[in-house]
Amino acid sequence: MVKVTVWNEFLHEKQHDEVRTVYPDGIHEALKAGIGTDGFEVSTATLDQPEHGLTDDVLANTDVLIWWGHMGHDKVEDAIVERVHARVMEGMGLIVLHSGHFSKIFKKLMGTGCDLKWREANEKERIWTVNPAHPIAAGIPEQFVLDREEMYGEHFDIPAPDELVFVSWFEGGEVFRTGCTWFRGQGKVFYFRPGHETFPTYYNDNVLQVIRNGIRWAAPSGAAKPVRGNHQPLEEIKAK
């Protein structure tokens, strides 16, 4: 059973009727319901909880953390960012969604500004599967369409992905690296672009399948932890 924590700042839904209409219980609850329970044990955490809901105990019992944030990036305490970063380096998977590209944790893991072009114009997004053999692409068609989304366009200021799984084309002409993976320490990071708060993207079957696949991919492998530092020889070293 993969233990998943869905983190959402949960601010838009409280402040904007347009968002609350789409996600009345919050984006985190929509994701929790959409992910389902087939092989997953899913809990949620939000910005306004003590320690943002990401206590040492919560993170110690999280295999994969899903992160959605937008208007509250600066409200996330640096100590919590360091805590999450340490867990990723130890092997916890991290899935960063949509505007989480500007979160403190994603920028820390990438080491870049993570900026991009953007536009809100209710335009069509076509997502292309460019690495169909990748586990995150399992069961996903060659391409699928989101009728309305926010545009993100290149250049996306990220380090070159270790693996590129999806790219997007937008009705206005831009393209974007929409599904990217990286390896950081013992952990795996997956960035997936769709998910503007005023659109019902997290009810889309293909989007939810990508996220479920991402959870399975990012979950800890169970491999032995690396041993570092001064080390005694495994074999006899003969005097020379």
Side-chain angles (χ1 to χ4, degrees), residues 65-221:
L65 176 64
I66 298 175
W67 192 282
W68 196 100
H70 184 205
M71 62 190 296
H73 295 321
D74 62 334
K75 295 179 173 62
V76 177
E77 296 177 11
D78 291 342
I80 305 302
V81 176
E82 293 296 328
R83 183 182 295 169
V84 173
H85 182 270
R87 280 289 292 126
V88 172
M89 300 303 285
E90 292 171 356
M92 182 184 72
L94 178 67
I95 297 177
V96 176
L97 299 175
H98 192 57
S99 47
H101 72 90
F102 253 165
S103 64
K104 290 180 178 180
I105 182 59
F106 189 65
K107 291 199 286 187
K108 181 175 179 65
L109 286 162
M110 295 299 103
T112 56
C114 301
D115 207 350
L116 43 78
K117 294 186 183 76
W118 62 275
R119 174 178 63 243
E120 293 183 36
N122 293 359
E123 61 194 284
K124 178 172 70 176
E125 174 182 4
R126 189 182 301 277
I127 298 176
W128 287 92
T129 304
V130 296
N131 190 351
H134 197 282
I136 295 178
I140 303 302
E142 180 183 46
Q143 54 82 25
F144 65 94
V145 171
L146 301 174
D147 291 330
R148 295 185 302 147
E149 253 296 351
E150 179 183 15
M151 185 279 292
Y152 280 7
E154 297 288 345
H155 177 254
F156 189 13
D157 184 19
I158 52 173
D162 292 321
E163 300 165 318
L164 180 61
V165 186
F166 305 105
V167 297
S168 287
W169 169 88
F170 292 88
E171 195 171 349
E174 291 83 4
V175 296
F176 192 75
R177 289 169 288 174
T178 272
C180 306
T181 74
W182 296 266
F183 297 87
R184 291 291 184 269
Q186 299 304 111
K188 290 174 277 188
V189 179
F190 174 45
Y191 173 77
F192 190 44
R193 194 217 71 81
H196 186 61
E197 63 273 5
T198 61
F199 302 130
T201 300
Y202 294 130
Y203 301 111
N204 180 277
D205 290 340
N206 284 314
V207 169
L208 291 171
Q209 183 62 48
V210 168
I211 295 172
R212 286 192 291 268
N213 290 346
I215 292 168
R216 295 186 182 98
W217 172 84
S221 66

Side-chain angles (χ1 to χ4, degrees), residues 8-73:
N8 172 29
E9 64 185 23
F10 198 28
L11 297 177
H12 282 287
E13 302 93 324
K14 295 177 180 178
Q15 299 179 28
H16 303 130
D17 290 341
E18 185 180 10
V19 180
R20 188 161 48 249
T21 298
V22 180
Y23 298 108
D25 299 316
I27 287 172
H28 53 297
E29 291 295 339
L31 285 168
K32 179 180 178 180
I35 291 166
T37 57
D38 184 13
F40 304 135
E41 180 182 318
V42 186
S43 59
T44 64
T46 57
L47 180 69
D48 61 355
Q49 293 177 322
E51 301 180 66
H52 308 324
L54 300 175
T55 64
D56 285 323
D57 286 344
V58 167
L59 290 176
N61 287 284
T62 297
D63 296 316
V64 178
L65 176 64
I66 298 175
W67 192 282
W68 196 100
H70 184 205
M71 62 190 296
H73 295 321

